[in-house]
Amino acid sequence: MNTTFLGMELDNPVIVSAGPWSRDGQSIKKLIEAGAGAVVTESIVSDAILDVCPRIAYNGSGVQNIRLYSDIQVEGWEYEMQVAKSSGGRVIASVSAHTPSEVAYLASKLEKFGADAIEISVSNPMFESLEVAASHKDVVYDFTKAVVSNVKIPVIVKLSQTATNIIEIAKAAKLAGASGISCINTIRCILSVDIDTAMPSLPTYGGYSGAPIRPISLAAVASIAQSLDIPICGIGGVENYRNVVEYLMLGASVVQVGTAVMVKGPGIITEIVRDLEKWFCENGISSVSQIKGKALRNLKSFDEMKISVAVCKKEDTPCIEGCSDCTVACMYNAISKNGNDIDIDESLCTGCGLCVSICDADKLNLDM
């Protein structure tokens, strides 16, 4: 599964994203030893910021966090980088700042400390000013250009889904000299509210991550892959090897994992890499390039969709006892229960496909 990303030789396309799990050299070293192709440091800023408590909330599927940046001073990363790279592996330095000159300064420092690449984080869900900046192509261009002009290592720009037009932002980053794009960053959220106490899960807005944002990120990756020629690192909701393959098939060159590491520990990286390698072998895949963008050929704009007639058909597979999900969900009243089976009125079926997705018995399919 060896692959090359921005000139970096990686053992596999699974990268650990920026976060508290990559907060220092020992944490990064542990992730590399778990099998990560590369690790992105927690975002490094000019002035380290102390944590607030509580700062992480989890609802079983998605996570809200209000962890800001690395609490290690910039100069301290010279030592941390040495520790991180002591057992081999690639380390990408995440940097964030409020001005182009400041982010360029940080990037040049991390390059001297041994970073293999720079990832510019141009947004932060906790700060509206940065979220606004991430939506302006001129601002992203200026930040990117400043870094590219001051370092010789690859520069990646991490984009925010809050951008009105993420494709235009990606184009601006490329025009400024970015080597690659990462997308997407966490999404501004409030995870939940306790209606008995009127208390939000965390006392401020935070970044939403995990499986629920994966469909949004998949769309962002595909949109950029269809619009411009630049290496893409997909981020958002990767929990297993199948999710990695999804991103690769939609045009990503590599994929980042974050929330899964937070919830399940570094061992999840070992598991994902092992299962991905097994899938590659079982399917005769020897290179990421064989599957990269494979699904894009099946992805069309809505204007290209052809009006077609389809009706739901049922297989001989028995229904799950007591299940009525398809009959309840059918908005056109085309499906009805018949004992422990179902009947389909094809004259009422419009071929929407919802029932096919809902059926856990794999009994239904669309006849086009």
Side-chain angles (χ1 to χ4, degrees):
M1 293 194 301
N2 291 359
T3 190
T4 301
F5 180 59
L6 309 182
M8 297 182 289
E9 296 292 331
L10 308 181
D11 291 339
N12 60 73
V14 180
I15 296 175
V16 177
S17 62
W21 46 84
S22 57
R23 65 189 176 276
D24 57 25
Q26 284 292 347
S27 301
I28 294 169
K29 182 180 177 182
K30 185 184 296 184
L31 292 164
I32 290 171
E33 291 173 347
V39 177
V40 185
T41 70
E42 187 165 29
S43 293
I44 300 164
V45 294
S46 298
D47 296 309
I49 299 175
L50 296 177
D51 276 326
V52 296
C53 297
R55 57 184 174 272
I56 299 171
Y58 178 54
N59 64 6
S61 58
V63 170
Q64 177 188 358
N65 87 86
I66 54 175
R67 165 84 173 184
L68 287 172
Y69 307 112
S70 170
D71 54 13
I72 298 172
Q73 295 290 342
V74 180
E75 298 299 335
W77 273 98
E78 182 173 13
Y79 170 76
E80 301 300 338
M81 194 66 70
Q82 292 174 0
V83 174
K85 302 188 72 174
S86 61
S87 60
R90 299 287 189 173
V91 179
I92 300 168
S94 172
V95 294
S96 184
H98 288 273
T99 66
S101 59
E102 183 185 4
V103 77
Y105 167 79
L106 291 170
S108 61
K109 277 286 188 182
L110 271 298
E111 179 183 34
K112 291 176 183 176
F113 296 161
D116 295 289
I118 298 294
E119 182 179 84
I120 310 171
S121 181
V122 294
S123 66
N124 186 313
M126 281 73 86
F127 294 122
E128 289 187 23
S129 60
L130 282 177
E131 286 298 283
V132 171
S135 297
H136 286 269
K137 61 182 181 181
D138 292 342
V139 174
V140 172
Y141 177 92
D142 290 343
F143 272 65
T144 306
K145 189 68 174 178
V147 175
V148 170
S149 300
N150 282 274
V151 301
K152 294 182 173 63
I153 54 179
V155 176
I156 308 161
V157 181
K158 187 175 185 179
L159 302 185
S160 169
Q161 184 58 31
T162 58
T164 306
N165 189 331
I166 198 169
I167 297 171
E168 289 302 309
I169 304 299
K171 287 180 179 178
K174 181 181 179 181
L175 184 63
S179 305
I181 295 294
S182 290
C183 63
I184 56 176
N185 199 357
T186 55
I187 299 173
R188 186 175 173 89
C189 81
I190 296 172
L191 190 66
S192 63
V193 173
D194 184 328
I195 62 172
D196 295 318
T197 63
M199 290 294 295
S201 50
L202 291 176
T204 188
Y205 301 97
Y208 192 43
S209 63
I213 78 165
R214 186 169 62 248
I216 300 169
S217 182
L218 287 173
V221 168
S223 298
I224 294 171
Q226 287 183 321
S227 303
L228 66 159
D229 182 18
I230 191 170
I232 303 169
C233 182
I235 314 171
V238 175
E239 297 185 312
N240 53 53
Y241 80 96
R242 298 185 68 87
N243 301 152
V244 175
V245 176
E246 287 181 278
Y247 274 103
L248 298 177
M249 286 188 169
L250 284 172
S253 299
V254 292
V255 174
Q256 290 187 23
V257 185
T259 300
V261 175
M262 178 194 291
V263 175
K264 298 182 180 179
I268 191 63
I269 297 299
T270 307
E271 180 182 322
I272 291 173
V273 172
R274 181 196 64 216
D275 291 348
L276 184 63
E277 185 172 20
K278 180 181 178 183
W279 186 86
F280 268 48
C281 291
E282 290 175 347
N283 289 275
I285 307 298
S286 58
S287 170
V288 169
S289 61
Q290 289 178 252
I291 58 172
K292 180 184 172 184
K294 190 176 181 180
L296 290 178
R297 70 190 67 165
N298 299 316
L299 193 65
K300 307 170 184 176
S301 68
F302 188 81
D303 292 339
E304 295 176 294
M305 297 289 288
K306 294 180 180 178
I307 303 299
S308 58
V309 178
V311 293
C312 181
K313 299 284 188 179
K314 67 176 183 178
E315 305 289 346
D316 292 334
T317 308
C319 290
I320 296 172
E321 187 172 353
C323 178
S324 300
D325 289 352
C326 63
T327 61
V328 172
C330 183
M331 297 173 284
Y332 304 97
N333 302 313
I335 306 176
S336 58
K337 289 291 289 185
N338 182 3
N340 197 35
D341 200 357
I342 57 171
D343 289 327
I344 300 173
D345 186 337
E346 295 185 7
S347 67
L348 296 176
C349 178
T350 67
C352 75
L354 176 60
C355 60
V356 178
S357 300
I358 284 178
C359 180
D360 289 331
D362 293 327
K363 183 181 178 68
L364 303 175
N365 61 74
L366 283 185
D367 184 13
M368 304 291 287

